[in-house]
Amino acid sequence: MILTVERDVHERIADTIRRRFGVVDVPAFAVEVPPTRALGDLAVTVAFQLARTLRKPPRAIAQDIADSLGNMPGVARVAVAPNGYLNLSLDRKTYLVGRLRGQVPAATGSGEKTIVEHTAINPNKAAHIGHLRNAALGDTLVRALRYRGTPVEVQNYIDDTGVQVADVIVGFQQLEHKTLADVRALADAGRFDYYCWDLYSRVTEWYDEAKGRLDLRAATLHDLEHGGTDAASMGAFIVDRIVRAHLRTMARLNIDYDLLTYEGDILRLQFWAHAFEILKAQGAVFLQTEGRLAGCWVMKIDEGQEPPEKADEAGEESREKVIVRSNGVVTYVGKDIANQFWKFGLLGRDFRYRHFATRRDGTPLWSTTSEEGEPSPPAFGNAKRIYNVIDSRQMYLQALLVQALKTLGHPAEAENSVHFSYEMVALSHATARELGYQVAPDSEEARKPFVEVSGRKGLGVKIDDLLDLLTRKASAEVAQRNPEMAPEEAARTASQIAVAAIRYFMLRYSRGKVIVFDMEEALSFEGETGPYLQYAVVRANNIFHKLRERHGLTETGVVGALDGLPVDELDGSDAHDVWALAFEASRLDEIVEQVVRSLEFSLLAKYAFGLAQTFNAFYHRYPILNEEQVDRRYWRAAAAAYVRAQLTRALEIMGIEVPTRM
């Protein structure tokens, strides 16, 4: 990996500047990677930053630094460019062989516990394509943090007391006149999340027919919060079945969690009541006694935070945010504040926990509970940093969490409370049609460049349907390319390709950009797609299968023989030579570090795509299997082995598996 080398170089140059020039406060400078290896492997521009202080030309300063550095482990040459750059060339053989043998560890994080909360789908219907981006971004963040050594706890927030669940209960009780026993029978019949999808849409239309019907929603919400009624029992059952359906859907995408946090437990275990007392005692909230918000407990919005339109329950803009409504119902902002305090260990109390399910690796998935918990659960919460993965529409409300932490005297926690925002996902018209979503030709929607989805209106594409269709398409391609493949392997390969198509597409765009998902584009084996990256690794795997067949040579044998080989093959300057390929592969840890700092996973996607392109160009230009000169064959095979390992790691961070064949 390159990051440890960059840090060593930075430390050595900074120390040299202190000794050579007597500079106490060395200006901040970066160790960069030049655009081509002909310019060196690393570049430092600190001479430009020192020029004004030292009153010397940058080139002279750079030369002084170079002359004073002495021998640096792992660095073969230090050159001074005419413009004042310090260009460093690495000891190529030592660098590549060391990484092939795993002698250089990946860069590590701070070691401080981090919580990532993502997915958080309302448990009232099937998961749809709009939820994909949240889950893919959140899971990739988890994988990136763990790759760099950060201990991470993954949470999925379950809003079991919200209006969406209440609406489905109203649908079953008022539209279909069903009892809990009836609902159980429906759930046991299968596709319960799909059934609730249609029912939820019908309830929305039913509300629109008569305004007074919304009173039934309010009464049901009250039952959900306080429990002990038929509606509450039905709600608990619906939530349990829908959550399990969501978990099965997410498992298909290689997405997993450590803890399910139930909103109802925040209320039943008095988390909110305790947080409310703290907020009142510190003056963070106050009772409004007049005006349209009379009887509500509200939080004053800080200057500089612009509330969205219709920010309050009266449907008008306000500089006050309602935390508890006049009827005593807590808004979800209030429950979020209590939950955020618990995550940081600031609440002074804890949930009870139970085993909810067994994950694919055999370990338990835990959930909170307000009933008797199980003994000796893991230590959840008490994190130093929290990432809440929620779309950009929630930016204002996430800012209120930060405001509450600051107001109560927790500036460090406010700083480490991170809203990981992103924009929506839409469908291309071609994909929408293929998935059975019909847009009227003369409608306003038909004139838009993409098709928007809406779960409330029942307009959208379920994730399972999308996965099924992509898998069928991938299966046809796999069968055409590999007619001899066993059905089980073909099915597994098609599923892996479908997941790669979705997950890579969700990551390849900047998170501030609206994604227009197109199925044919995502599933292509050519271009910037997940299947293209998978195919590059499969190609590298095939090289080693054939090396074993033709030459009896394994990767271990290749690496073991490198010490005694000349290094001529590493000294080329072409853009696709052995060293350029191996060096680019070693930059994965640097890219992951950039991704975690910026939360822009498009950087990782584009890096992996670029590395796959470089490898494919190398594969076509430099023969390995048919190369007669032994040392060349070994060095080229070594580079292929390293790229295979690094590209596989990059795909693992993106949640993408590599098929055995494609």
Side-chain angles (χ1 to χ4, degrees):
M1 301 298 186
I2 191 64
L3 201 55
T4 51
V5 176
E6 290 177 351
R7 288 173 176 171
D8 289 345
V9 167
H10 188 283
E11 185 177 335
R12 182 66 173 269
I13 290 177
D15 184 61
T16 299
I17 291 170
R18 295 186 192 98
R19 288 187 291 101
R20 176 67 182 80
F21 303 112
V23 175
V24 177
D25 296 322
V26 177
F29 66 94
V31 179
E32 303 169 350
V33 175
T36 69
R37 301 289 65 75
L39 297 173
D41 301 318
L42 300 173
V44 178
T45 60
V46 69
F48 298 98
Q49 294 155 270
L50 290 168
R52 176 172 294 182
T53 301
L54 300 179
R55 299 188 178 185
K56 295 174 66 176
R59 191 182 190 288
I61 295 171
Q63 190 64 60
D64 281 348
I65 295 172
D67 293 342
S68 304
L69 276 172
N71 293 327
M72 296 178 63
V75 176
R77 293 181 304 280
V78 179
V80 178
N83 61 1
Y85 273 80
L86 273 173
N87 292 328
L88 293 81
S89 297
L90 301 179
D91 180 339
R92 294 178 173 184
K93 180 176 181 178
T94 300
Y95 187 88
L96 177 54
V97 172
R99 277 143 189 80
L100 281 165
R101 292 175 180 169
Q103 295 171 355
V104 180
T108 58
S110 65
E112 296 181 336
K113 181 177 179 180
T114 296
I115 288 175
V116 177
E117 179 187 293
H118 68 82
T119 305
I121 306 171
N122 288 318
N124 69 319
K125 64 183 184 304
H128 62 68
I129 190 172
H131 301 126
L132 270 174
R133 197 172 194 183
N134 184 305
L137 287 170
D139 183 65
T140 306
L141 173 60
V142 169
R143 292 168 181 267
L145 289 168
R146 286 176 174 164
Y147 172 81
R148 64 195 287 274
T150 302
V152 183
E153 178 176 303
V154 191
Q155 297 184 9
N156 184 358
Y157 189 82
I158 310 299
D159 183 3
D160 57 332
T161 62
V163 295
Q164 291 82 6
V165 175
D167 287 348
V168 174
I169 296 169
V170 169
F172 278 124
Q173 291 185 330
Q174 303 297 324
L175 274 68
E176 300 196 340
H177 308 290
K178 293 190 184 299
T179 64
L180 177 56
D182 297 329
V183 175
R184 286 182 184 275
L186 273 174
D188 292 340
R191 290 287 189 175
F192 184 60
D193 54 336
Y194 279 44
Y195 189 97
C196 291
W197 173 289
D198 295 331
L199 179 59
Y200 181 58
S201 177
R202 288 166 50 207
V203 171
T204 300
E205 295 175 356
W206 185 73
Y207 284 148
D208 291 340
E209 293 170 2
K211 186 175 181 180
R213 290 172 176 173
L214 286 173
D215 293 340
L216 292 167
R217 172 197 277 175
T220 305
L221 277 171
H222 183 275
D223 288 346
L224 286 175
E225 288 197 9
H226 294 85
T229 65
D230 290 344
S233 298
M234 183 181 289
F237 175 79
I238 291 168
V239 167
D240 183 77
R241 286 299 184 93
I242 298 294
V243 167
R244 293 181 189 278
H246 290 169
L247 292 175
R248 287 191 295 272
T249 299
M250 292 300 151
R252 296 181 68 184
L253 293 160
N254 303 321
I255 295 171
D256 200 4
Y257 314 91
D258 298 312
L259 177 68
L260 307 180
T261 308
Y262 278 75
E263 183 174 278
D265 294 327
I266 292 174
L267 297 171
R268 289 185 286 269
L269 292 173
Q270 303 298 303
F271 276 32
W272 162 245
H274 186 61
F276 191 30
E277 292 304 317
I278 295 173
L279 291 168
K280 287 190 290 186
Q282 297 293 326
V285 297
F286 63 93
L287 181 64
Q288 183 58 268
T289 57
E290 57 186 19
R292 63 182 181 277
L293 300 183
C296 298
W297 284 90
V298 299
M299 177 185 290
K300 203 75 168 176
I301 299 170
D302 285 348
E303 292 297 326
Q305 288 186 23
E306 290 303 319
E309 292 183 3
K310 299 182 180 179
D312 59 52
E313 62 182 7
E316 300 178 22
E317 288 191 15
S318 172
R319 298 305 305 177
E320 299 164 355
K321 176 61 186 174
V322 175
I323 306 299
V324 181
R325 295 189 177 97
S326 56
N327 61 2
V329 174
V330 185
T331 64
Y332 61 87
V333 179
K335 289 172 278 192
D336 282 351
I337 290 173
N339 190 37
Q340 195 81 346
F341 280 24
W342 168 78
K343 289 178 189 174
F344 277 121
L346 301 175
L347 201 60
R349 56 187 61 197
D350 198 4
F351 289 107
R352 301 166 195 161
Y353 303 95
R354 67 184 177 98
H355 288 170
F356 185 86
T358 300
R359 301 188 290 189
R360 288 188 297 176
D361 63 0
T363 60
L365 168 62
W366 292 82
S367 78
T368 63
T369 180
S370 50
E371 299 177 355
E372 189 68 28
E374 298 189 36
S376 304
F380 293 111
N382 286 287
K384 294 297 183 183
R385 177 172 287 256
I386 296 168
Y387 293 92
N388 291 326
V389 185
I390 310 175
D391 70 55
S392 59
R393 292 171 296 181
Q394 303 300 317
M395 189 174 297
Y396 161 74
L397 298 177
Q398 286 293 304
L400 291 180
L401 299 185
V402 173
Q403 178 183 319
L405 287 164
K406 287 180 179 177
T407 301
L408 296 180
H410 303 293
E413 287 79 3
E415 180 71 22
N416 288 315
S417 186
V418 182
H419 176 203
F420 185 175
S421 65
Y422 59 92
E423 284 297 336
M424 59 172 281
V425 179
L427 298 172
S428 70
H429 283 277
T431 295
R433 284 193 299 271
E434 191 157 3
L435 286 161
Y437 181 48
Q438 300 299 323
V439 177
D442 56 346
S443 67
E444 181 182 347
E445 195 167 27
R447 291 188 288 274
K448 294 180 180 179
F450 50 75
V451 178
E452 295 184 42
V453 298
S454 170
R456 178 172 292 277
K457 297 177 182 178
L459 306 177
V461 175
K462 304 173 186 71
I463 294 176
D464 284 320
D465 286 347
L466 178 62
L467 273 169
D468 290 345
L469 183 54
L470 284 169
T471 301
R472 287 196 297 272
K473 285 178 169 290
S475 183
E477 183 73 18
V478 169
Q480 181 179 346
R481 292 173 177 240
N482 304 276
E484 78 291 349
M485 187 181 286
E488 297 82 5
E489 183 183 357
R492 182 170 60 255
T493 299
S495 176
Q496 291 169 326
I497 292 171
V499 171
I502 288 176
R503 291 199 58 148
Y504 187 84
F505 205 96
M506 293 295 128
L507 299 174
R508 62 177 278 199
Y509 299 98
S510 169
R511 61 192 174 96
K513 180 182 177 62
V514 174
I515 289 181
V516 180
F517 184 81
D518 184 82
M519 191 158 41
E520 295 300 326
E521 181 183 353
L523 201 56
S524 174
F525 281 38
E526 301 294 334
E528 192 177 351
T529 69
Y532 176 82
L533 299 183
Q534 289 175 310
Y535 190 73
V537 181
V538 170
R539 170 172 277 168
N541 288 336
N542 289 338
I543 290 172
F544 282 91
H545 292 322
K546 292 177 180 177
L547 276 174
R548 184 181 293 109
E549 292 173 359
R550 296 186 190 181
H551 303 285
L553 192 60
T554 64
E555 180 179 335
T556 302
V558 168
V559 176
L562 296 177
D563 289 329
L565 296 179
V567 295
D568 295 350
E569 189 67 8
L570 295 182
D571 290 333
S573 59
D574 190 88
H576 298 306
D577 66 8
V578 173
W579 172 246
L581 178 64
F583 182 83
E584 186 64 16
S586 76
R587 296 185 61 212
L588 175 60
D589 63 336
E590 178 190 21
I591 300 301
V592 171
E593 197 71 16
Q594 292 176 18
V595 162
V596 171
R597 286 200 304 266
S598 66
L599 296 179
E600 276 295 353
F601 286 94
S602 58
L603 298 174
L604 176 61
K606 292 185 184 305
Y607 164 78
F609 174 60
L611 181 58
Q613 280 186 309
T614 302
F615 172 71
N616 286 330
F618 171 86
Y619 171 85
H620 289 296
R621 185 166 185 171
Y622 296 96
I624 297 176
L625 299 169
N626 297 325
E627 175 55 55
E628 295 182 359
Q629 191 170 323
V630 174
D631 60 321
R632 285 186 170 179
R633 185 193 310 146
Y634 274 61
W635 282 117
R636 292 173 186 178
Y642 189 49
V643 170
R644 175 175 68 167
Q646 291 292 87
L647 200 49
T648 300
R649 291 187 184 107
L651 288 170
E652 286 173 353
I653 294 170
M654 291 186 280
I656 296 172
E657 298 173 331
V658 178
T660 54
R661 289 186 290 169
M662 287 180 69

